[in-house]
Amino acid sequence: MPIPERGMTKDEILSALQSFKENDLNWRSGKVLGFTYQPGADAEEVTKAAYMMYLSENALDPTTYPSVLRLEREIVRTVADLLRGDENVVGNFTSGGTESILLAIKTARDKMRADRPHIQEPEMVLPLTAHPAFRKAGAYFDVKPVFVPFDRETFKADVEAMREAVTDNTILLVGSAPGYAQGVVDPIAEIGALAQEKDLLFHVDGCVGGIQLSLMRRMGEYDVPDFDFSVPGVTSISADLHKYGYAAKGASTILYRNKKIRRHQIFASTATTTYVLINPTLLSTKSGGPMAGAWAVMQYLGEEGYRTMIREVMDVTRRMIEGVRATGELRILGEPIVPMFSMASDSINVFQLADEMTKRGWYLQPQLSTPYSPPNLHISVNSNTTPVVDEFVQDLRGAVETVKNDYVPLDIAEVKAQIQAALDQAGPEAFGQILAMGGIQGTTLPSEMALINSVMDALPDEVCEDLLAGFMNDLYI
Ligand SMILES: *Cc1c(COP(=O)(O)O)cnc(C)c1O
């Protein structure tokens, strides 16, 4: 596809782009219950204006744009204060939670390379509830993730299992505040004590909820366990602004207990013909837009604005959870303390329930089982769900009944047996067969995803991951 010989007009371009969106999720509906975070129309407008004002400023070199440096310093100070860091706590603005986590793992690796050069094959110990970005970071930076179980009832990290997993190669412990999947906060104080006892680094993943939990703590109306720099032993925290901080996407922070640790994050090069390059984070050339947008939304909402939204989403969450329990067929996993939760069922296939809710205009996020937990559906709540919360409760009740009465139950044992048979033949042909079992033709997904989700859930992780990577490889050009 060549670029057009003669350029299109602004109107033509914008209407083309608008038409492309036709089949996208409608996040304004209040019915998209996963990975959208909405501060409301006014805040959105302010964010966009600020973002556009800094769109073309290059945050590559803070000495050329002092205002961009100022924005970053003010954002980091604000987040450090929320997370009860003292004046020694430092950090950087990043493009997202994944970049913050990648940096935390790279920094931990390089600090320990300097301090404990005898460690050749560094390891991090983390519960299976940790975000996959840690596995990704481990793969990128050669730090082996050593996963340990979590409590089957509470979904909190099993600290004794973490202790037992520590070896001479361990450099880092990881806990979440909260984990995305269940909205549960790990026992951060206990893990901090273990980190101190074993003289290890300790990263707290506050990507999704670090900002919100801090604001909730300051409100004094919610029971928030200590998870921040007030906990001895915590050496770094990631906290996204583009989740419950309500910033536009491309906004997160990574904070460290002190500069000695952060020093290992920074890369500098004078050795080539190219300009002097000093990168505190992964990206080099980057827009100042995300920073200005994040700065603006915090100034616009103020703590008062955040408080109002917290009360609203927590109230909606409570009403949704009551509705979930009232179905009699679904249960909430763990005890979520943020506006996020997950639900599982002993009687119906939750992936079929997700499909039925999709037909009724909702988006719920399927999550796969682990050796310690059942398949489940995730919900993150936004204030724009407030006007439709009764409709949610009604639709959920209806959807549960429809799945119970009208859906043909999927025989998971049969699915597993078929997959095993296909795998036994081995080779790449088996993958095609398995994809077909899920109803996938080429790269076209069926409208009902229950079978695919059930197939993914039944497959061994390595096989499923290989399959999905292959699928993506075909999906993109
Ligand atoms: C979203 C999330 C991440 C990853 O953040 P991205 O911004 O999507 O890269 C990491 N950890 C937790 C707990 C998250 O919720």
Side-chain angles (χ1 to χ4, degrees):
M1 181 182 167
I3 50 174
E5 174 56 28
R6 280 187 52 211
M8 293 159 70
T9 65
K10 179 182 166 192
D11 282 350
E12 284 168 341
I13 291 163
L14 296 184
S15 69
L17 287 171
Q18 195 58 45
S19 73
F20 294 171
K21 289 187 175 186
E22 205 176 310
N23 297 321
D24 291 355
L25 276 180
N26 175 13
W27 51 263
R28 285 185 204 280
S29 64
K31 296 184 174 184
V32 177
L33 305 176
F35 64 77
T36 48
Y37 307 90
Q38 280 315 301
D42 296 348
E44 192 190 323
E45 196 185 312
V46 175
T47 303
K48 278 187 179 167
Y51 197 108
M52 294 320 288
M53 189 183 284
Y54 274 83
L55 179 72
S56 307
E57 269 66 19
N58 193 343
L60 165 66
D61 180 356
T63 62
T64 51
Y65 296 104
S67 70
V68 175
L69 177 61
R70 173 184 177 157
L71 290 176
E72 177 156 354
R73 291 172 69 134
E74 291 192 8
I75 290 168
V76 167
R77 199 66 255 156
T78 300
V79 176
D81 288 347
L82 279 173
L83 296 171
R84 290 187 280 181
D86 61 19
E87 68 285 356
N88 295 317
V89 166
V90 294
N92 285 97
F93 185 90
T94 72
S95 62
T98 300
E99 186 181 353
S100 294
I101 289 168
L102 288 172
L103 286 169
I105 303 309
K106 177 225 135 32
T107 302
R109 184 199 66 180
D110 288 357
K111 170 148 178 55
M112 288 306 213
R113 266 186 190 163
D115 293 358
R116 298 177 202 174
H118 59 278
I119 298 181
Q120 298 289 315
E121 295 179 352
E123 299 174 356
M124 56 178 151
V125 174
L126 68 177
L128 267 172
T129 46
H131 193 277
F134 290 97
R135 271 189 80 197
K136 179 173 168 179
Y140 279 24
F141 298 121
D142 259 327
V143 177
K144 183 180 164 196
V146 178
F147 284 104
V148 297
F150 50 88
D151 185 287
R152 286 166 195 261
E153 286 304 313
T154 65
F155 283 75
K156 291 181 185 175
D158 178 341
V159 184
E160 275 318 298
M162 291 183 83
R163 172 189 299 280
E164 281 162 28
V166 171
T167 70
D168 290 343
N169 286 331
T170 308
I171 61 167
L172 176 81
L173 305 179
V174 173
S176 303
Y180 180 88
Q182 273 74 43
V184 167
V185 179
D186 279 327
I188 300 301
E190 287 173 53
I191 304 173
L194 177 63
Q196 287 198 307
E197 179 195 321
K198 302 279 186 187
D199 197 14
L200 298 168
L201 297 168
F202 174 26
H203 181 82
V204 174
D205 182 7
C207 278
V208 72
I211 304 276
Q212 188 160 38
L213 280 176
S214 301
L215 292 162
M216 286 168 73
R217 170 182 58 76
R218 287 167 62 90
M219 289 166 76
E221 300 162 31
Y222 301 97
D223 210 6
V224 180
D226 290 339
F227 71 94
D228 54 17
F229 284 112
S230 70
V231 177
V234 172
T235 51
S236 57
I237 304 180
S238 47
D240 290 356
L241 300 164
H242 66 195
K243 289 184 178 161
Y244 285 111
Y246 297 109
K249 275 172 272 302
S252 174
T253 54
I254 172 69
L255 282 82
Y256 297 95
R257 176 70 75 178
N258 57 50
K259 275 191 181 172
K260 269 202 191 120
I261 308 174
R262 200 263 302 271
R263 174 66 188 80
H264 296 276
Q265 182 183 281
I266 301 168
F267 177 84
S269 172
T270 54
T272 76
T273 57
T274 311
Y275 50 81
V276 170
L277 184 133
I278 319 162
N279 287 159
T281 59
L282 287 184
L283 304 186
S284 203
T285 293
K286 57 185 175 186
S287 169
M291 257 182 237
W295 187 90
V297 79
M298 290 193 283
Q299 311 308 314
Y300 182 77
L301 291 173
E303 204 161 339
E304 191 185 13
Y306 280 107
R307 277 200 296 268
T308 306
M309 282 207 292
I310 286 169
R311 288 200 185 98
E312 193 170 344
V313 291
M314 290 304 285
D315 187 53
V316 173
T317 305
R318 185 185 51 76
R319 288 165 65 192
M320 290 171 95
I321 287 179
E322 280 169 14
V324 168
R325 292 199 166 121
T327 62
E329 308 288 346
L330 298 164
R331 62 193 159 87
I332 305 295
L333 299 179
E335 281 180 32
I337 61 167
V338 286
M340 304 158 62
F341 64 91
S342 63
M343 53 196 188
S345 176
D346 300 322
S347 50
I348 59 170
N349 182 318
V350 289
F351 300 142
Q352 291 183 326
L353 180 64
D355 283 347
E356 183 55 31
M357 285 298 276
T358 302
K359 287 181 191 158
R360 294 166 188 248
W362 299 87
Y363 175 80
L364 282 69
Q365 225 172 12
Q367 300 187 130
L368 305 183
S369 64
T370 72
Y372 318 102
S373 58
N376 60 90
L377 301 178
H378 172 92
I379 285 180
S380 292
V381 180
N382 273 268
S383 56
N384 66 356
T385 296
T386 308
V388 288
V389 63
D390 290 332
E391 203 183 320
F392 169 82
V393 171
Q394 215 175 334
D395 277 343
L396 187 69
R397 191 183 307 137
V400 165
E401 288 308 309
T402 305
V403 171
K404 250 171 71 180
N405 300 327
D406 303 347
Y407 277 56
V408 180
L410 290 173
D411 188 342
I412 303 297
E414 172 64 15
V415 171
K416 267 191 174 155
Q418 286 180 17
I419 289 170
Q420 200 51 56
L423 283 175
D424 288 346
Q425 298 176 358
E429 308 88 85
F431 286 175
Q433 281 179 35
I434 293 167
L435 284 174
M437 266 181 230
I440 300 176
Q441 305 289 337
T443 54
T444 309
L445 295 176
S447 58
E448 295 197 357
M449 292 290 291
L451 186 56
I452 292 183
N453 284 321
S454 300
V455 167
M456 284 199 289
D457 207 31
L459 285 171
D461 290 325
E462 320 79 70
V463 177
C464 192
E465 287 161 3
D466 198 23
L467 208 62
L468 292 172
F471 176 78
M472 271 295 159
N473 204 14
D474 288 340
L475 186 63
Y476 290 101
I477 279 185

